[in-house]
Amino acid sequence: MEEKGRFIVFEGIDGSGKTTQIRLLAEHLKRAGRKVHITAEPTTSVSGGLLRDALCGARKRSPGELAALFLLDRINHNVCPVNGIEKLTSDGYDVICDRYYYSSLAYQGSQTDYRWVADMNLNCPEIRKPDICIFLDIDAKTAAKRISSDRAITEVFEKEQTLETVRNRYLEVFASLPEDNVKIINASGDVGEVAKLIAECVG
Ligand code: TYD
């Protein structure tokens, strides 16, 4: 029987370089002879579409509705028989996912009841734990600079404050999940150096 693939999650604030580092890790794993599938949450499924409508403001949703939609999207992402995480890892693919339940805990957890959000995600029988979560850690100032080069100074400052809040929430979430295999990687360095640190962690 084919060896099972790994489920690798990336988390990080805006500007932390998730997209680039996911691509580089996928190339690294492929060079090592692995089959790789890249995915993201929200997904491209129906529930992912509902989430994108909410995130862009086209459809207003309450914090509880959002948390429940992310949960539904995540369950579907795990169990979809065509291209779900369970199916692909069983077929030997290493699945790399841009955001997972840590995002729900960090974002929705601060907008509605944290314990409820944590409980429904962590104790759901159809939502698996990742084999490894890579948190691309970058300070809010550097991240704001990376994403805001064309914005007004006050806007950059506001953005920086929001990023700082989200980063702190992530760190609290990780501290509360000792059973999860979370690697906090310093992502403020050169792209190649960060990629090397990640490759060392993932193996
Ligand atoms: P998107 O622009 O699709 O991707 P990214 O910011 O990762 O490049 O944004 C996804 C947004 O959804 C982001 O602001 C975080 C948010 N989100 C949650 O609030 N909860 C979740 O569970 C997930 C997966 C994402």
Side-chain angles (χ1 to χ4, degrees):
M1 212 180 83
E2 189 153 27
E3 189 200 342
K4 257 196 147 199
R6 284 171 301 172
F7 179 40
I8 303 163
V9 166
F10 274 72
E11 295 276 359
I13 58 175
D14 261 7
S16 59
K18 281 188 284 117
T19 311
T20 305
Q21 292 301 338
I22 286 173
R23 182 175 50 77
L24 292 175
L25 178 65
E27 286 168 9
H28 166 78
L29 292 171
K30 282 182 187 162
R31 275 197 302 274
R34 308 283 314 167
K35 296 193 288 185
V36 181
H37 177 85
I38 296 177
T39 183
E41 293 189 1
T43 69
T44 52
S45 72
V46 176
S47 44
L50 294 176
L51 280 162
R52 267 187 298 280
D53 286 347
L55 291 170
C56 75
R59 170 80 155 84
K60 185 130 183 59
R61 296 278 185 189
S62 75
E65 279 182 299
L66 263 186
L69 283 171
F70 275 114
L71 183 88
L72 172 63
D73 194 40
R74 189 159 298 127
I75 293 175
N76 179 255
H77 200 190
N78 272 269
V79 305
C80 175
V82 182
N83 57 4
I85 296 160
E86 279 312 321
K87 160 83 177 131
L88 289 166
T89 51
S90 297
D91 288 349
Y93 281 87
D94 282 335
V95 175
I96 309 180
C97 185
D98 186 345
R99 297 188 184 278
Y100 197 53
Y101 58 58
Y102 310 95
S103 284
S104 283
L105 272 57
Y107 293 83
Q108 281 66 55
S110 67
Q111 289 154 4
T112 178
D113 186 82
Y114 181 87
R115 292 271 32 113
W116 174 63
V117 176
D119 185 52
M120 68 181 174
N121 276 280
L122 301 170
N123 295 326
C124 174
E126 296 187 344
I127 293 181
R128 66 163 290 178
K129 234 185 223 324
D131 294 300
I132 184 166
C133 167
I134 304 281
F135 179 62
L136 295 183
D137 192 25
I138 183 168
D139 66 276
K141 211 182 191 75
T142 313
K145 261 200 221 128
R146 281 190 189 174
I147 56 187
S148 315
S149 51
D150 56 344
R151 296 195 201 171
I153 306 257
T154 46
E155 216 181 307
V156 174
F157 182 67
E158 274 169 31
K159 182 77 190 166
E160 191 182 315
Q161 300 226 301
T162 311
L163 292 173
E164 180 69 34
T165 307
V166 179
R167 174 176 179 241
N168 288 335
R169 272 196 228 124
Y170 264 122
L171 295 175
E172 281 167 25
V173 166
F174 297 138
S176 75
L177 298 175
E179 285 174 16
D180 283 46
N181 182 19
V182 179
K183 303 286 184 202
I184 298 179
I185 302 273
N186 179 352
S188 51
D190 159 85
V191 171
E193 276 166 29
V194 178
K196 196 158 164 261
L197 291 174
I198 295 170
E200 279 164 13
C201 266
V202 172

